[in-house]
Amino acid sequence: MKKLIHKHIIIASLFCTVILWGLTAWAGEPSASSNAKAIDTVWTLISAFLVFFMQAGFAMVETGFTRAKNSVNIIMKNLMDFAVGSIAYWAIGFGIMFGFDIFGLFGSNGFFLSIANPATSDGLWQMAYWMFQVVFAATAATIVSGAMAERTKFVSYLIYSAVISAIIYPVVGHWIWGGGWLAKLGMVDFAGSTVVHSVGGWAALMGAAFLGPRIGKYTFNGTKKISRAIPGHNIALASLGVFILWFGWFGFNPGSTTSGTNLSIATIAVTTNLSAAAGAITAMFFVWILYKKPDASMTLNGALAGLVAITAPCAVVSPGNAIIIGIIAGGLVVISVEFLDKILHIDDPVGAISVHGVCGFWGTLSVGLFADPLYGLSSGVGAIKGLFYGGGFHQLGIQLIGCLAVFAWVGISSGILFFILKQTIGLRVSEQEEIRGLDIEEHGMEGYAGFQIFMTQ
């Protein structure tokens, strides 16, 4: 009898437990699943806010590396490319990037963030995801500002910002992150060495080429063209910008998991930091050997080169390989800056093309060399094998195809854009405006009131 009573008590207890669990779920109380989604949402938003802060870093780097008479113009460009880009990406870009796939080329729905229903948890997640993605779009747009600094019409830059955020960047994003043809091919670009940085870098290359160099940048010694250094006015400000960018990159790369419950964010933070450190050290010693002095500006760009390069492979490589990737990026950025300046005679005041375009290309290729399946499985990317881990040339070939395709698309599309701007409203300010400074001529004010120095060139 006691056993029977005990049995009924157990059954009743289980029944009550099930009922209470059902009532709890019906009442909307937190569950393991809802808690995980909440953690992921908070993590993604915090990462987005860190990446947004990088906009200030880009503004400081660019301002410090250029002349005082153009500081207001540079701040305005870095402010307004985010403002204009946010609206363009909300209206058009996000839909092209993540909408329903058409022929692997672009998305076809989700414009004006129409897929984000605030009445559902999935819809609210889309709000968080859009916020994370829009700051990436802004990063791609603002990279171009540095290469075109000190001579670009402000209105032309605003139009460019809208077009890259609405069309040029989202198309690449769809190809690689939105289920497009490169994603189906198997290309890996975890946080955007190509999607974000190379897009900005190659657009910067086209912009600088169409603009031409700043007045006085190149002189002739007979028939030989000589590069003339135009020093930035505040290296301390540029250094602050690099520290901000390095800090923000811990949102950029680990945040690309978009999951606070994915513990590989720790590994990604480690690889990100080590590559940046290796890039800075290598660039410093490289330029020290070349010019007998440890140049600060090139060292700062070395850190950024390491950060850009590790952005694609950060979730699939070991800490040791991250250092190798950073070392190569640190040397590559010095060589690239010198080549563009002294051989191609392309005037890039801040080294944006070399840091973002060239090192973004290298970082994306490095996936095909150093991808370790142990780290790929840990982060959720998959068992990706690079050349040095038994994968042969398969992944490397895919990465190369992706890099070249993006170079072609961005080069052609941005080239057409800059050509149209140049032939219509104009791309470059007048010689007088450039000499007096864009702060006064374009914005009617000085960045350093009472300290404006007018130069003849």
Side-chain angles (χ1 to χ4, degrees):
M1 187 67 177
K2 288 182 180 180
K3 288 184 179 180
L4 184 62
I5 293 172
H6 184 65
K7 182 178 180 181
H8 281 102
I9 289 172
I10 293 173
I11 293 171
S13 298
L14 290 172
F15 178 77
C16 290
T17 300
V18 171
I19 293 297
L20 287 172
W21 177 84
L23 289 171
T24 298
W26 176 79
E29 292 295 326
S31 64
S33 176
S34 65
N35 282 339
K37 180 165 283 190
I39 292 169
D40 293 347
T41 301
V42 171
W43 167 248
T44 301
L45 285 173
I46 289 173
S47 298
F49 304 152
L50 284 171
V51 177
F52 171 71
F53 190 43
M54 291 173 69
Q55 202 76 8
F58 282 114
M60 296 300 97
V61 168
E62 187 181 340
T63 302
F65 280 163
T66 53
R67 289 168 289 186
K69 63 182 180 179
N70 298 307
S71 58
V72 173
N73 175 257
I74 286 165
I75 294 298
M76 282 293 289
K77 287 194 300 180
N78 281 272
L79 172 67
M80 295 312 298
D81 60 25
F82 182 77
V84 171
S86 290
I87 303 300
Y89 191 72
W90 166 77
I92 302 171
F94 188 71
I96 290 177
M97 192 160 172
F98 293 106
F100 181 78
D101 179 58
I102 300 295
F103 305 122
L105 299 176
F106 53 85
S108 60
N109 71 330
F111 304 108
F112 301 98
L113 205 53
S114 57
I115 59 174
N117 183 355
T120 67
S121 61
D122 287 338
L124 292 172
W125 163 251
Q126 287 297 325
M127 293 283 191
Y129 192 63
W130 179 87
M131 192 67 232
F132 185 72
Q133 291 299 332
V134 75
V135 293
F136 275 53
T139 298
T142 206
I143 287 166
V144 182
S145 173
M148 299 175 68
E150 303 199 291
R151 61 215 193 270
T152 306
K153 279 188 174 181
F154 184 63
V155 65
S156 298
Y157 184 79
L158 292 180
I159 294 170
Y160 144 79
S161 297
V163 175
I164 192 172
S165 301
I167 300 171
I168 297 174
Y169 166 78
V171 167
V172 175
H174 183 79
W175 290 357
I176 300 173
W177 289 347
W181 70 278
L182 286 174
K184 293 171 183 175
L185 197 62
M187 183 178 180
V188 175
D189 183 7
F190 185 76
S193 287
T194 286
V195 174
V196 179
H197 295 284
S198 283
V199 167
W202 302 142
L205 174 63
M206 297 307 296
F210 272 91
L211 267 178
R214 291 167 290 174
I215 295 171
K217 173 60 180 172
Y218 297 105
T219 58
F220 282 92
N221 182 6
T223 59
K224 186 177 181 181
K225 186 180 283 190
I226 306 297
S227 175
R228 173 179 172 269
I230 302 179
H233 83 282
N234 195 330
I235 298 301
L237 196 63
S239 301
L240 175 62
V242 170
F243 279 117
I244 290 172
L245 289 170
W246 196 328
F247 174 67
W249 236 285
F250 294 121
F252 208 102
N253 287 2
S256 290
T257 60
T258 63
S259 173
T261 57
N262 184 339
L263 298 185
S264 69
I265 57 178
T267 304
I268 296 169
V270 170
T271 56
T272 298
N273 191 69
L274 289 175
S275 183
I281 293 169
T282 304
M284 181 189 70
F285 280 111
F286 202 140
V287 77
W288 202 340
I289 292 168
L290 281 178
Y291 301 115
K292 312 306 178 186
K293 297 289 183 181
D295 179 80
S297 60
M298 197 66 82
T299 304
L300 293 170
N301 269 340
L304 296 180
L307 288 164
V308 169
I310 199 61
T311 299
C314 60
V316 297
V317 299
S318 68
N321 284 332
I323 292 173
I324 296 172
I325 291 167
I327 288 171
I328 295 172
L332 194 59
V333 73
V334 177
I335 295 169
S336 177
V337 165
E338 293 294 301
F339 180 77
L340 286 168
D341 183 26
K342 296 178 179 177
I343 305 298
L344 298 184
H345 300 123
I346 293 176
D347 183 15
D348 179 359
V350 304
I353 300 165
S354 300
V355 168
H356 299 279
V358 174
C359 291
F361 194 102
W362 154 241
T364 307
L365 287 183
S366 74
V367 173
L369 298 173
F370 298 106
D372 183 338
L374 180 65
Y375 288 90
L377 288 170
S378 171
S379 62
V381 175
I384 309 298
K385 292 183 179 181
L387 176 64
F388 302 138
Y389 286 84
F393 291 95
H394 175 72
Q395 190 64 43
L396 183 61
I398 292 172
Q399 300 297 111
L400 180 60
I401 289 170
C403 288
L404 294 175
V406 170
F407 177 79
W409 160 250
V410 177
I412 293 169
S413 59
S414 63
I416 292 171
L417 171 62
F418 290 128
F419 176 79
I420 292 172
L421 289 173
K422 188 173 183 177
Q423 297 301 315
T424 53
I425 63 174
L427 192 58
R428 183 168 183 149
V429 299
S430 69
E431 182 176 336
Q432 179 185 349
E433 290 173 320
E434 185 176 344
I435 291 171
R436 282 174 58 84
L438 276 62
D439 289 1
I440 290 176
E441 296 296 327
E442 287 272 89
H443 305 283
M445 64 187 303
E446 299 172 273
Y448 301 91
F451 292 90
Q452 182 68 52
I453 300 174
F454 296 103
M455 305 294 290
T456 58
Q457 62 180 21

